[in-house]
Amino acid sequence: MSADKGVETALEDMKVHVRIKLSALWTSVMLCYLYGDFFGLYVPGTVKHMLNGEIGELGPATQGIVLAMALTMAIPSAMVFLSLVLEARICRWANIVLGALYTAIMLVSMSGMWTFYIALGVIEIVLTLFIVRYAWTWPKRVAA
């Protein structure tokens, strides 16, 4: 209620298009990845292994391994933009498939990790499952 007129007011709200939701979710996923990698630098021995050219369980930091890691992270980064510009049908399926894939990647990679990484991993799983859900339930309209 407004104190001066006795009129009830409501906050203005707007419907957010599924594309913007997907783009925002991919952005959130990427930020969790970045924070996880950053905080991972504080795990004892990590920097020493990096300086020795080793990537944890993956072994030596070869060009192929680093390229694969870079491409693995480039895909969610690209999806921030692609979720806004791809043709609707392609965008929907790309988000369903890639959201499910990155959910699986997190499930596989969390085992035996530090608690902070598992916590971020759970958040990333929830976010990627929301990506799949929003893409799966993309609103339909009657074709003209």
Side-chain angles (χ1 to χ4, degrees), residues 112-133:
M113 296 302 244
W114 279 43
T115 307
F116 79 89
Y117 193 82
I118 293 171
L120 285 171
V122 168
I123 293 167
E124 292 161 13
I125 289 167
V126 169
L127 292 170
T128 52
L129 287 174
F130 268 115
I131 288 168
V132 172
R133 178 183 174 270

Side-chain angles (χ1 to χ4, degrees), residues 3 6 9 11 16 26 28 34 40 42 61-62 65 69 77 84 96 100 116 118 120 123-124 133-134 136 140:
T9 59
L11 296 175
V16 178
W26 281 114
S28 297
L34 288 170
Y42 290 97
T62 65
I65 295 288
M69 290 171 51
S77 299
L84 298 173
I96 290 169
F116 79 89
I118 293 171
L120 285 171
I123 293 167
E124 292 161 13
R133 178 183 174 270
Y134 279 122
W136 189 265
K140 306 216 178 8

Side-chain angles (χ1 to χ4, degrees), residues 77-94:
S77 299
M79 287 305 293
V80 172
F81 174 70
L82 293 174
S83 292
L84 298 173
V85 300
L86 287 174
E87 187 270 323
R89 216 170 318 150
I90 295 168
C91 183
R92 178 176 182 254
W93 282 107

Side-chain angles (χ1 to χ4, degrees), residues 35-44 46-47 116-117:
Y35 279 117
D37 289 344
F38 175 76
F39 293 136
L41 295 173
Y42 290 97
V43 174
T46 300
V47 174
F116 79 89
Y117 193 82

Side-chain angles (χ1 to χ4, degrees), residues 1-9:
M1 287 252 189
S2 175
D4 50 285
K5 297 195 182 190
V7 177
E8 188 173 324
T9 59

Side-chain angles (χ1 to χ4, degrees), residues 39-74:
F39 293 136
L41 295 173
Y42 290 97
V43 174
T46 300
V47 174
K48 177 184 169 199
H49 289 290
M50 288 173 67
L51 292 172
N52 288 332
E54 301 166 2
I55 306 175
E57 305 278 326
L58 298 176
T62 65
Q63 287 193 47
I65 295 288
V66 176
L67 175 62
M69 290 171 51
L71 292 176
T72 301
M73 288 299 98

